[in-house]
């Protein structure tokens, strides 16, 4: 074979494609385009090996258009203009052109803008493929002219179907036990290209017996879990951690943290986010949460992995099982808002120091009461600017330690004068 198996087996029409039924199934918008023989501009967004290029090629065949592939990594504005000149010539003889640009997110704003007039006048039908969130990486002007198709990683069942199809294509069974085949689909992690490349390699070597899952691990390198340091997957995973903790779903929180750790994410980033969670979402419902978070962070910095992994795990369990409260977070927002609204109002004189004679004559500290010396430890004196109606900025909840804080506030506030 002069081409990779993944390229040789590429489906020639939509009906041969495995997976992505939400797009190409009976009710998928791409299926409707084919049925109506009218193809619109599309952005295909999904992980590697899920079929973006395959769908684009199959669409060109289904509607009988010239397929012009480009890569945003290697192409630029001059290449786009050359393609458009050819497309205009095709249009003059009644032939349509489907321009496919892989990794479209790699184009800068100017290059993306170059496409707009040609999409507007129908010189080409455009399909872009990207592994990055298009709403973050593509211009609004380009997005507004395209349908967004979200592709999913292939399921284990779909990958098993692909193994059967590949065996028929190459004309022989691959030397894997049934358990090893299932293991291969797990290793592929939804990536059809990885699976087919592995099958191509296994079919090219002389195997004396069928491989077990452990044999397979010894021969091939596991596909690294999909991850990045500042892209969609990074933020998707940390969002999953945060939401699982907030839902007090301990097992889910442990799983998503493990996903981040095994995919090479920075443990210090995870610990920083967990410390933030202890402040924002657990808050004063469990004041110990912040200290435990800081301790776990310090332990990890001092000991590293694997010992530090235990501290991280204990922190995840503690935070997920802790009572949750955002009362302090709300108090922060409310107090900052009030401070901006009231400007430079001065404190009442009773709580101002009077270190000089002049200040004493002006009334500074007049009426001040030293609360610890009062019978109840609280005088109820006014501490807000004179004339300001007393606001309530912090409202504790009936949960965790804040239940005790609420009792304390009610006691202190009982000594204050009502407006």
């Amino acid at each position: 074979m002069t081409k990779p198996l993944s390229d040789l087996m590429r489906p020639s029409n939509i009906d041969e494609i495995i997976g992505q039924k939400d797009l190409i199934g009976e009710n998928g918008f791409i299926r409707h385009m084919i049925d109506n023989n009218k193809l619109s501009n599309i952005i295909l967004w999904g992980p590697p090996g899920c079929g973006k290029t395959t769908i684009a090629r199959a669409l060109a065949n289904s509607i009988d258009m010239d397929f012009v592939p480009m890569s945003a990594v290697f192409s630029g504005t001059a290449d786009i203009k050359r393609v458009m000149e050819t497309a205009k010539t095709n249009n003059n003889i009644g032939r349509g052109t489907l321009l496919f640009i892989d990794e479209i997110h790699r184009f800068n704003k100017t290059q993306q803008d170059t496409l707009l007039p040609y999409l507007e006048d129908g010189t080409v039908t455009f399909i872009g493929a990207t592994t990055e969130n298009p709403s973050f990486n593509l211009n609004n002007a380009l997005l507004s002219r395209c349908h967004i198709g979200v592709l999913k990683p292939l399921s284990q069942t779909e990958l098993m179907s692909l193994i059967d199809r590949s065996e028929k294509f190459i004309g022989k069974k691959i030397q894997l036990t049934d358990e090893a085949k299932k293991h291969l689909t797990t290793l592929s992690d939804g990536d059809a290209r990885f699976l087919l490349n592995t099958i191509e390699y296994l079919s090219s070597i002389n195997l004396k017996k069928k491989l077990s899952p452990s044999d397979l691990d010894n021969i091939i390198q596991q596909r690294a879990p999909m991850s990045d340091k500042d892209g969609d997957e990074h933020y998707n995973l940390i969002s999953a951690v945060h939401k699982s903790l907030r839902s007090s779903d301990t097992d889910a929180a442990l799983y998503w943290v493990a996903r981040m750790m095994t995919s090479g994410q920075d443990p210090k980033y995870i610990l920083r986010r967990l410390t933030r969670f202890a402040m924002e979402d657990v808050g004063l419902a469990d004041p110990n949460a912040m200290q435990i978070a800081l301790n776990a962070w310090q332990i990890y910095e001092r000991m590293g992995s694997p010992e530090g992994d235990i501290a991280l795990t204990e922190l995840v369990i503690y935070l997920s099982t802790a009572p949750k409260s955002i009362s302090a977070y709300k108090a922060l927002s409310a107090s900052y808002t009030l401070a901006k609204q009231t400007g430079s109002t001065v404190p009442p004189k009773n709580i101002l120091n009077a270190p000089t004679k002049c200040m004493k004559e002006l009334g500074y500290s007049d009426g001040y009461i030293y609360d610890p010396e009062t019978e109840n430890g609280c005088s109820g004196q006014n501490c807000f600017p004179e004339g300001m109606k007393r606001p309530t900025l912090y409202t504790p909840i009936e949960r965790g330690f804040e239940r005790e804080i609420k009792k304390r506030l009610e006691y202190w506030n009982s000594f204050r004068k009502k407006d």
Side-chain angles (χ1 to χ4, degrees), residues 92-377:
N92 291 334
I93 60 174
R95 181 75 177 168
T97 301
L98 191 154
L99 172 62
F100 174 70
I101 302 181
D102 197 14
E103 310 239 31
I104 183 62
H105 60 277
R106 303 277 188 174
F107 269 175
N108 59 35
K109 183 179 185 302
T110 300
Q111 291 168 322
Q112 291 181 37
D113 287 344
T114 302
L115 293 167
L116 300 180
Y118 303 110
L119 271 59
E120 197 71 42
D121 64 15
T123 301
V124 296
T125 299
F126 166 69
I127 296 183
T130 177
T131 56
E132 302 290 336
N133 190 327
S135 60
F136 295 151
N137 295 279
L138 299 181
N139 296 347
N140 289 333
L142 180 59
L143 287 175
S144 67
R145 291 165 172 80
C146 300
H147 293 275
I148 307 296
V150 181
L151 283 72
K152 302 174 183 177
L154 270 63
S155 68
Q156 189 174 56
T157 301
E158 291 165 345
L159 290 173
M160 287 295 289
S161 298
L162 193 55
I163 291 177
D164 293 338
R165 183 182 292 185
S166 67
E167 289 179 328
K168 293 176 182 177
F169 184 86
I170 62 180
K172 66 177 181 180
K173 295 285 187 179
I174 55 174
Q175 292 288 80
L176 296 176
T177 64
D178 291 341
E179 292 78 9
K181 287 181 180 180
K182 292 179 180 178
H183 186 54
L184 176 57
T185 63
T186 301
L187 295 177
S188 299
D189 198 20
D191 187 338
R193 186 182 297 109
F194 176 90
L195 180 133
L196 290 174
N197 288 344
T198 302
I199 290 174
E200 181 178 2
Y201 169 69
L202 293 174
S203 64
S204 68
I205 60 178
N206 185 21
L207 297 172
K208 303 297 184 182
K209 64 172 185 175
K210 288 188 175 182
L211 302 178
S212 66
S214 59
D215 295 331
L216 185 61
D217 285 337
N218 291 332
I219 289 180
I220 67 171
Q221 184 177 7
Q222 181 175 350
R223 181 185 185 273
M226 186 171 57
S227 182
D228 48 47
K229 297 298 176 67
D230 57 4
D232 286 345
E233 194 62 20
H234 169 77
Y235 292 109
N236 286 344
L237 289 175
I238 197 61
S239 177
V241 170
H242 205 109
K243 302 301 194 303
S244 299
L245 290 171
R246 191 176 285 162
S247 298
S248 299
D249 191 335
T250 304
D251 292 331
L254 287 168
Y255 169 74
W256 291 117
V257 169
R259 278 282 302 274
M260 295 192 76
M261 292 290 286
T262 56
S263 62
Q265 297 284 335
D266 183 1
K268 293 179 182 178
Y269 171 80
I270 299 172
L271 286 158
R272 184 177 72 82
R273 288 297 297 258
L274 294 179
T275 303
R276 172 182 170 183
F277 181 89
M279 292 185 294
E280 291 183 3
D281 290 88
V282 175
L284 291 173
D286 187 346
N288 290 326
M290 275 191 285
Q291 189 59 54
I292 290 174
L294 288 172
N295 287 344
W297 194 345
Q298 188 177 49
I299 288 170
Y300 203 99
E301 287 182 334
R302 290 189 176 187
M303 302 187 71
S305 182
E307 294 86 354
D309 298 339
I310 300 172
L312 173 60
T313 299
E314 291 178 357
L315 173 60
V316 172
I317 294 171
Y318 191 94
L319 294 179
S320 62
T321 57
K324 312 298 189 296
S325 172
I326 58 170
S327 299
Y329 192 78
K330 288 181 176 180
L332 168 69
S333 176
S335 58
Y336 273 57
T337 298
L338 182 62
K340 291 175 182 178
Q341 291 173 348
T342 54
S344 301
T345 52
V346 297
K349 290 183 178 180
N350 61 297
I351 61 171
L352 294 179
N353 288 332
T356 67
K357 180 180 179 181
C358 177
M359 296 171 76
K360 290 180 180 178
E361 291 175 349
L362 291 173
Y364 280 48
S365 77
D366 280 357
Y368 173 67
I369 304 171
Y370 187 64
D371 292 78
E373 290 185 344
T374 62
E375 180 181 358
N376 298 303

Side-chain angles (χ1 to χ4, degrees), residues 42-104:
I42 304 171
I43 299 293
L44 297 175
W45 170 31
C50 65
K52 298 184 290 295
T53 303
T54 297
I55 289 176
R57 287 184 178 274
L59 280 173
N61 292 335
S62 299
I63 304 186
D64 192 25
M65 303 175 73
D66 281 354
F67 183 76
V68 180
M70 294 177 60
S71 171
V73 176
F74 303 109
S75 306
T77 303
D79 301 291
I80 295 173
K81 291 181 178 179
R82 279 195 294 271
V83 169
M84 298 307 173
E85 290 302 316
T86 303
K88 288 178 182 178
T89 302
N90 285 345
N91 285 343
N92 291 334
I93 60 174
R95 181 75 177 168
T97 301
L98 191 154
L99 172 62
F100 174 70
I101 302 181
D102 197 14
E103 310 239 31
I104 183 62

